[in-house]
Amino acid sequence: MKYIKHLLLFTLLIGTTLAAREQVKVKFDNLQIEKFIKLVAEISKKNILVTNKINGTVDLVTTAPIYDDEVMGILVSVLESKGFTLVQKGSYYEVVRSTEAAKHNVPVVRSGNIARGHTMVTQAIKVKGENVDIVAAKVRYLISKTAKLMTMKESNTLLLTDYPANIQTIKRIISDIDTKNKKIIKIIPVEHAELKQLHTQVTDIAKSIFNEKVATQSVKVLLNNDVNGLVLVGNPDQVKELAKIIKTLDTEQNLNEVVQILPLKNSEAKNVLATLNEIITKQTFTDPSLKPNVSANEEINAIILVGNPSLLKGLVKIIETLDKEKYQVYVQARIVEINKNDAEQIGLKYSLGALDVSSSGLLAFSGNFGGSSAASIIQSLGVAIPEDAGTTGLAIGASLDFLQTKGASKTVSSPSILCVNNQESSIYVGKTLSFQTGSNTAGTLGTTSSYKREDVGLTLKIKPRVSSKDKVTLDVEAILENVLATVDTNNQPVTTKQNVLTQAILRHGETIIIGGLVKNYTSTTESKVPILGYIPILGLLFTHNDTSDQQDNLIVILTPYIIEKSEKLSQLQRELGELSRLQREYNKEVFSQIEEKSKEENK
């Protein structure tokens, strides 16, 4: 009757029975824990051993009946709040400290069985698809405060002492983790593809489509030379997906995709090969076997590529760019020798500007032959000007032709040369002479002399560099070698050499004049009185020798024409033919005007 006074209401209702469970309705306030333990023992009909004094009270407010076996769970909760718990020992329960529960031989539930009840039990949980330490770290926060958790790496097993409800929760979570992260091993033989190359490709693909940071998605791709295959380790779904990709990539390779022979149309194979080797040498390859092999066949002027198709694509693009049809430059040259004295006399006779050896002086001279008004003269002739034909060039041509008709100049050579862009071409006009290099007296055999053959003349070197369809830079070098009439102290001829090196930027069809190559000499003119001057001995009295210093100026006139494509060469030749005809018509008109003007001035 002592504890009855602490009960506000205690009613035991024996009513509906469900699976041997009885409903009870309890409600108490400020009930001492020791008395509550006695109450639970009576309701559950279980013996409870209490060896420690537990202070405190407990309140329970209910609005509906509870089952008798749930009262034991309430007691466990109350005891937990005070640092104690119940441990089943055979037919009775003992109240022990929660921190020492694992030492009191709590019941062991066999692995695979379901833990039941309200008191602590111990159960081993097998982990299959994940590292047991990793799993323990993930589920540790789910166990109760006083539970004990340890791992056994040897068997990948987790040993847990806790309340049955907690154990069941942890088992369900581990089951889900194992299911999602179950790993398999699959060996896929490689039949056609190059093993190292395929391994690199598949590894890159796996990194792209799977998240390596997620354990359930990570797939390891291993290379095995013994079976010439790839080993996949990972989740079944991911391994299956990657295996399909490997089968797709492991197709029989087409030889044309591995070996490519590229005939060159516009470039030399050895030059292209040097460029490719320089590019490849500077590249870094993670696998040396992936480095492409490049060689040249000069017989068919082709580049041979052997290697990975993806790498060869880049090399093919480079080769196509290097093998594009190159610009060509057709250079018309005219080498003219002008006598300064004769040119000046012609200038005085026809009231033309005096000849200056510089290009600017020559242009001033030619200005009297149309110059800027050349277009109007051509228009008066009623002829069409070919495309890109420079009117200034017509005026220069007319001035030189006029000097030649009057004997003041002569055309040494009129060569034409077709140059490839960025390649040097040369023109040589001259002769080969023999020069004595020594003599040797050998007894009765007499004196023998040795000679050396030397080229003496004009050498013209031209290197074009096209910057656009209508502009070209010409690197020009003119070398003039000459033999003087005098001899040195060894009775050897004296030679001279003059060199002009220049660079000019010209438009298509524009003319440049290179001067400064001068030859000085003395000219002797003999004049005789008719009849008397030809009488032997006596004729010397009627003969006069006139000596004068002469100067010949050698000028080089260059006109470049840019040819973008080789098929346009024939079109250019037709236009140049028309331009030549136009020059003759132009000369005829201009010469006639000069002669008429000269006659009027001399009247």
Side-chain angles (χ1 to χ4, degrees):
M1 294 297 293
K2 292 182 180 179
Y3 66 87
I4 295 298
K5 62 180 178 180
H6 297 287
L7 291 176
L8 296 178
L9 175 65
F10 175 78
T11 306
L12 176 60
L13 299 177
I14 301 176
T16 306
T17 300
L18 179 61
R21 300 176 72 193
E22 297 180 350
Q23 286 186 329
V24 294
K25 187 174 182 179
V26 293
K27 184 176 181 182
F28 47 83
D29 179 30
N30 200 27
L31 179 65
Q32 290 183 356
I33 294 177
E34 291 181 353
K35 294 180 178 181
F36 179 61
I37 293 174
K38 295 178 181 180
L39 178 62
V40 171
E42 291 183 6
I43 295 174
S44 61
K45 297 181 177 60
K46 300 291 185 183
N47 298 321
I48 301 175
L49 174 64
V50 181
T51 59
N52 297 286
K53 184 174 180 59
I54 304 174
N55 298 319
T57 59
V58 61
D59 298 329
L60 178 63
V61 179
T62 62
T63 58
I66 61 175
Y67 289 103
D68 56 354
D69 58 356
E70 291 177 340
V71 177
M72 186 66 72
I74 296 174
L75 176 59
V76 171
S77 298
V78 171
L79 293 175
E80 274 285 332
S81 66
K82 299 300 181 179
F84 294 89
T85 189
L86 284 180
V87 174
Q88 185 175 3
K89 293 187 175 182
S91 62
Y92 69 94
Y93 293 88
E94 183 180 359
V95 177
V96 299
R97 296 190 180 277
S98 299
T99 55
E100 299 177 356
K103 300 178 182 179
H104 286 269
N105 298 322
V106 298
V108 176
V109 179
R110 298 180 65 85
S111 179
N113 292 345
I114 298 176
R116 303 181 184 279
H118 301 285
T119 59
M120 281 187 171
V121 296
T122 298
Q123 188 170 30
I125 304 173
K126 184 72 174 178
V127 179
K128 298 179 180 178
E130 185 59 271
N131 183 290
V132 67
D133 288 331
I134 296 176
V135 172
K138 294 177 180 179
V139 301
R140 191 176 294 276
Y141 77 98
L142 295 174
I143 65 177
S144 61
K145 183 171 63 174
T146 57
K148 300 296 180 180
L149 175 66
M150 64 177 294
T151 59
M152 293 179 288
K153 296 181 181 180
E154 299 80 2
S155 58
N156 209 50
T157 301
L158 187 149
L159 192 62
L160 177 61
T161 299
D162 202 348
Y163 296 104
N166 285 350
I167 292 177
Q168 289 303 112
T169 300
I170 290 171
K171 287 171 64 177
R172 285 193 295 270
I173 292 175
I174 292 177
S175 176
D176 291 341
I177 293 175
D178 273 352
T179 302
K180 293 182 179 180
N181 198 28
K182 183 180 180 180
K183 291 185 178 181
I184 63 170
I185 298 175
K186 188 169 185 178
I187 300 175
I188 304 177
V190 176
E191 299 178 359
H192 305 292
E194 200 281 323
L195 185 59
K196 290 184 178 180
Q197 176 185 335
L198 183 60
H199 173 256
T200 302
Q201 291 179 344
V202 174
T203 301
D204 291 340
I205 292 172
K207 291 179 180 179
S208 301
I209 63 177
F210 303 136
N211 189 345
E212 291 183 310
K213 295 181 180 180
V214 179
T216 57
Q217 292 190 22
S218 177
V219 179
K220 290 185 178 180
V221 183
L222 307 176
L223 182 149
N224 190 298
N225 289 315
D226 296 334
V227 298
N228 194 54
L230 298 179
V231 181
L232 304 181
V233 181
N235 185 277
D237 293 336
Q238 276 70 31
V239 169
K240 183 178 180 181
E241 184 176 352
L242 210 54
K244 290 181 180 179
I245 295 174
I246 294 174
K247 291 296 182 182
T248 303
L249 295 176
D250 186 28
T251 56
E252 187 171 1
Q253 297 180 355
N254 187 341
L255 189 60
N256 292 329
E257 293 181 351
V258 178
V259 179
Q260 295 192 36
I261 301 176
L262 305 175
L264 304 180
K265 300 177 182 178
N266 304 293
S267 303
E268 290 188 22
K270 61 179 182 180
N271 295 335
V272 175
L273 176 63
T275 302
L276 294 177
N277 283 332
E278 184 177 357
I279 294 172
I280 294 173
T281 302
K282 295 180 179 179
Q283 302 298 315
T284 302
F285 298 91
T286 53
D287 186 351
S289 65
L290 297 177
K291 182 178 180 180
N293 295 319
V294 184
S295 60
N297 187 299
E298 296 187 16
E299 183 177 354
I300 61 174
N301 194 43
I303 296 294
I304 302 172
L305 304 176
V306 181
N308 183 282
S310 60
L311 294 177
L312 296 189
K313 288 181 181 179
L315 295 179
V316 170
K317 289 183 179 179
I318 295 174
I319 294 173
E320 290 175 350
T321 302
L322 295 175
D323 194 39
K324 283 185 178 179
E325 185 171 1
K326 296 177 176 58
Y327 280 104
Q328 298 182 82
V329 180
Y330 183 77
V331 181
Q332 278 191 327
R334 185 175 180 181
I335 305 170
V336 180
E337 190 178 78
I338 303 175
N339 185 277
K340 183 178 181 181
N341 295 342
D342 292 344
E344 288 176 346
Q345 291 176 9
I346 292 174
L348 292 173
K349 179 179 179 180
Y350 290 96
S351 299
L352 302 174
L355 175 65
D356 192 324
V357 297
S358 67
S359 59
S360 60
L362 183 58
L363 286 171
F365 179 82
S366 67
N368 296 281
F369 288 82
S372 61
S373 62
S376 60
I377 297 175
I378 295 171
Q379 187 176 5
S380 67
L381 296 175
V383 295
I385 302 177
E387 184 179 0
D388 298 319
T391 54
T392 303
L394 291 175
I396 294 175
S399 65
L400 295 174
D401 291 342
F402 186 78
L403 289 177
Q404 187 163 329
T405 59
K406 301 302 179 181
S409 72
K410 65 177 179 179
T411 299
V412 178
S413 178
S414 297
S416 297
I417 185 169
L418 186 62
C419 308
V420 178
N421 188 34
N422 285 319
Q423 294 187 17
E424 184 179 85
S425 301
S426 63
I427 301 172
Y428 170 75
V429 180
K431 54 186 175 181
T432 303
L433 301 178
S434 297
F435 294 93
Q436 184 177 347
T437 58
S439 61
N440 183 28
T441 303
T444 58
L445 296 176
T447 302
T448 58
S449 301
S450 58
Y451 293 87
K452 180 175 66 174
R453 302 282 286 176
E454 294 285 352
D455 292 331
V456 178
L458 175 68
T459 302
L460 182 64
K461 297 180 180 180
I462 301 173
K463 183 178 180 180
R465 186 169 64 253
V466 178
S467 56
S468 64
K469 292 182 180 180
D470 61 348
K471 187 174 291 185
V472 61
T473 300
L474 293 182
D475 292 329
V476 182
E477 183 179 12
I479 304 172
L480 176 63
E481 296 173 308
N482 195 18
V483 180
L484 301 180
T486 59
V487 294
D488 61 12
T489 56
N490 295 322
N491 201 31
Q492 295 295 316
V494 178
T495 61
T496 62
K497 182 176 181 180
Q498 294 172 293
N499 192 344
V500 175
L501 183 65
T502 186
Q503 186 180 76
I505 301 176
L506 302 173
R507 294 189 303 272
H508 176 86
E510 190 175 7
T511 300
I512 183 178
I513 300 175
I514 300 174
L517 301 175
V518 182
K519 180 174 69 175
N520 296 308
Y521 61 94
T522 301
S523 175
T524 301
T525 304
E526 183 181 64
S527 60
K528 297 181 178 182
V529 176
I531 301 176
L532 296 177
Y534 293 95
I535 298 175
I537 301 175
L538 184 63
L540 294 175
L541 299 174
F542 301 96
T543 302
H544 175 70
N545 291 324
D546 185 16
T547 302
S548 61
D549 294 330
Q550 299 290 327
Q551 184 183 85
D552 286 347
N553 297 288
L554 198 67
I555 62 172
V556 181
I557 301 98
L558 300 176
T559 306
Y561 297 93
I562 301 172
I563 304 170
E564 184 182 359
K565 295 182 179 179
S566 56
E567 54 263 25
K568 290 188 177 182
L569 181 59
S570 57
Q571 177 185 346
L572 176 63
Q573 290 175 336
R574 290 193 299 270
E575 292 180 353
L576 293 178
E578 180 64 19
L579 186 60
S580 178
R581 183 190 66 79
L582 181 59
Q583 181 74 69
R584 292 193 297 270
E585 295 287 340
Y586 181 82
N587 289 353
K588 183 178 178 181
E589 179 67 21
V590 174
F591 292 177
S592 175
Q593 292 179 8
I594 291 176
E595 293 289 353
E596 291 178 2
K597 183 179 180 181
S598 178
K599 288 178 181 179
E600 292 177 358
E601 291 178 350
N602 292 329
K603 285 183 180 180

